[in-house]
Amino acid sequence: MIPVTQRPGNVIEKKGAPMKETATLSYRGRNFELPVHVGTEGETSIDVTKLRSDTGAITLDPGYGNTGSVESAITFIDGEQGILRYRGYPIEQLADRGSFVETAWLLIFGELPTESELRHFEDLLTEHEMIHENLRHHFNGFPSDAHPMAILSAMINAVGCFQKGIVEPDKTESFAKTAARLMSKVRTIAAASYKVSIGRPITYPRPELPYTANLLHMMFSRPNKSYEPDPEIAAALDMIFILHADHEQNCSTSTVRMVASSQANLWASVAAGVCALWGPLHGGANQAVIEMLTHLHDSGESLESFVAKVKDKNAAERLMGFGHRVYKSFDPRAKIIKGACDRVLKKLGIHDPLLDMAMRLEEVALRDSYFIERKLYPNVDFYSGIIMRAIGIPLEMFTVMFAIGRIPGWMANWRETTIDPKARIYRPRQLYVGPTQRDYVELSQRRGRA
Ligand code: ACO
């Protein structure tokens, strides 16, 4: 084990330069000074960039729980206090007063858009909402029960093949067009994948509709029955998109950055992000939560017996929608969504027994010492599915909705890393624990394994 001590008094002094804090690493009888960097919110990190060249050793941090892979100016999270801010703006304010489209601009370009920037971006989103007509045939190549996340990822790469223009992440005007193309076409693909999965014709977008209302139209209008998006329902979904728009270096965003670090294009990087998001420990949890609540409702299993099961390490079952790598008090997004659940269900005149089930389950878990000691609280996925169900979004599309919301965050991170002159290809190391060197054995001489 390598003991590291961070001593505030341990400073490097250069004439005329501010004093810089360091941490001292004692290893095999030698001391190494490691620079300490402090972020704008006072968070500290110990810089191990030169660790291997100076000491011969690497850090070992499975799951990267203590590893800062980047310096980023996009999103700030304080997991202990339940704080989430995009570019400095509290999530509560953005969810209450902002729109998804302006939040996207904020994340990608760093500032809230002016009125003319917002109108321009909305126009660009409308201009780029169609996908190439040839792409409609691609949808027919998937089996009818294909998961829409698989279709979304494949189709983002397919659409990328049609995007021949130069991508200029360092030029706002030019990158705004790229960003609008991706955001807008992802929405069209998502709606089309749903239509194909239920055997209905793909619906074209309506240019007069705002971003989220247009998605609802493409999902629910039919040639023989038009669907007029309710502004309140569109606003609820818009808020869900805002809450999902970014979350710093989570699994899918790190995937986007990793793929981008090899200088892969934006479409390929985002398609990879969709795949990473799909898993039930990440974005796929919103679908898993509803499946869990439905099981509890239909089976009549008692909440106490279910909670006992998720605590049992041998049962391999978890309380889905609970726990978070970063949040150790509460997830502020879960708080906002829980509040919105009531409003949306009331407005729609829906009584959902799964919402009662979720609230009772939360109560049982939060009283239990297992969850208290491990600081496990409801995360964003615990209540988001209840609203999506109420809106009429089908279960398999829940994670796709998450992906639509996360596109701006992925783009902001892709842009940040792509224009960073110090960015390097992602290439973690490992501690090898396999066999040591041995000689090749001829096939005829290999003994069978029992
Ligand atoms: N149910 C039961 N036990 C849990 C849960 C849970 N949901 N989450 C964590 N634990 C337990 C673990 O078994 C472990 O117990 P131990 O210390 O006795 O071994 C302890 O809490 C720490 O858990 P880790 O798995 O080490 O936590 P990690 O940070 O790696 O995982 C994760 C975080 C993946 C979110 C986890 O809490 C989980 O699986 N939650 C359920 C899935 C989920 O809701 N995912 C969505 C996350 S939010 C998002 O991605 C948008």
Side-chain angles (χ1 to χ4, degrees), residues 280-283 285 310 313 318-325 370-371 374 376 379-381 402:
L281 295 191
H282 191 14
V310 300
K313 293 274 174 289
R318 288 198 158 188
L319 181 49
M320 300 311 285
F322 252 72
H324 198 275
R325 172 62 62 80
Y370 174 94
F371 293 90
R374 288 169 182 75
L376 303 170
N379 60 47
V380 67
D381 294 315
F402 192 151

Side-chain angles (χ1 to χ4, degrees), residues 80-97:
E80 276 68 37
Q81 316 241 26
I83 291 173
L84 169 61
R85 296 186 200 126
Y86 298 159
R87 303 280 191 185
Y89 294 100
I91 191 65
E92 292 79 6
Q93 291 180 21
L94 292 167
D96 188 38
R97 290 153 59 191

Side-chain angles (χ1 to χ4, degrees), residues 29-277:
R30 286 179 64 198
N31 281 352
F32 299 91
E33 295 301 315
L34 304 173
V36 171
H37 302 296
V38 183
T40 49
E41 292 282 353
E43 289 188 314
T44 56
S45 64
I46 298 170
D47 184 340
V48 293
T49 320
K50 298 240 166 7
L51 185 70
R52 189 169 180 278
S53 58
D54 288 352
T55 68
I58 59 163
T59 56
L60 186 61
D61 184 21
Y64 309 136
N66 306 284
T67 297
S69 56
V70 291
E71 287 182 338
S72 177
I74 302 169
T75 287
F76 171 70
I77 301 175
D78 182 329
E80 276 68 37
Q81 316 241 26
I83 291 173
L84 169 61
R85 296 186 200 126
Y86 298 159
R87 303 280 191 185
Y89 294 100
I91 191 65
E92 292 79 6
Q93 291 180 21
L94 292 167
D96 188 38
R97 290 153 59 191
S99 74
F100 177 55
V101 171
E102 64 177 344
T103 302
W105 182 280
L106 168 71
L107 284 166
I108 298 166
F109 298 111
E111 294 297 336
L112 283 167
T114 61
E115 205 170 338
S116 66
E117 283 168 340
L118 184 58
R119 298 293 155 252
H120 176 56
F121 195 45
E122 285 168 341
D123 288 347
L124 286 174
L125 286 165
T126 302
E127 191 182 326
H128 294 292
E129 63 194 3
M130 297 295 287
I131 51 173
H132 194 288
E133 200 59 17
N134 287 352
L135 280 163
R136 292 169 64 91
H137 308 299
H138 284 237
F139 287 103
N140 300 329
F142 295 100
S144 57
D145 59 353
H147 196 286
M149 285 296 272
I151 301 178
L152 184 65
S153 171
M155 291 302 289
I156 288 174
N157 250 326
V159 172
C161 300
F162 289 79
Q163 308 304 313
K164 299 292 182 211
I166 301 167
V167 175
E168 298 173 302
D170 53 336
K171 298 197 175 101
T172 303
E173 174 57 32
S174 168
F175 196 68
K177 285 187 192 139
T178 304
R181 256 193 206 107
L182 179 59
M183 246 178 99
S184 202
K185 291 186 195 309
V186 159
R187 174 189 51 175
T188 306
I189 297 167
S193 69
Y194 169 56
K195 283 304 184 74
V196 170
S197 75
I198 55 168
R200 295 221 171 107
I202 292 171
T203 304
Y204 285 114
R206 270 171 54 192
E208 76 281 10
L209 288 178
Y211 186 88
T212 303
N214 212 347
L215 168 68
L216 289 168
H217 151 70
M218 283 190 273
M219 284 185 70
F220 299 125
S221 282
R222 301 186 218 161
N224 60 341
K225 193 173 176 206
S226 73
Y227 165 96
E228 210 43 58
D230 178 325
E232 281 196 53
I233 292 182
L237 189 55
D238 206 70
M239 184 210 59
I240 289 185
F241 289 156
I242 294 172
L243 297 181
H244 288 83
D246 195 43
H247 214 234
E248 53 120 300
Q249 304 312 314
N250 55 81
C251 176
S252 54
T253 303
S254 295
T255 300
V256 169
R257 281 206 183 237
M258 170 151 308
V259 177
S261 79
S262 74
Q263 298 186 353
N265 71 54
L266 175 65
W267 300 81
S269 306
V270 166
V274 170
C275 293
L277 185 71

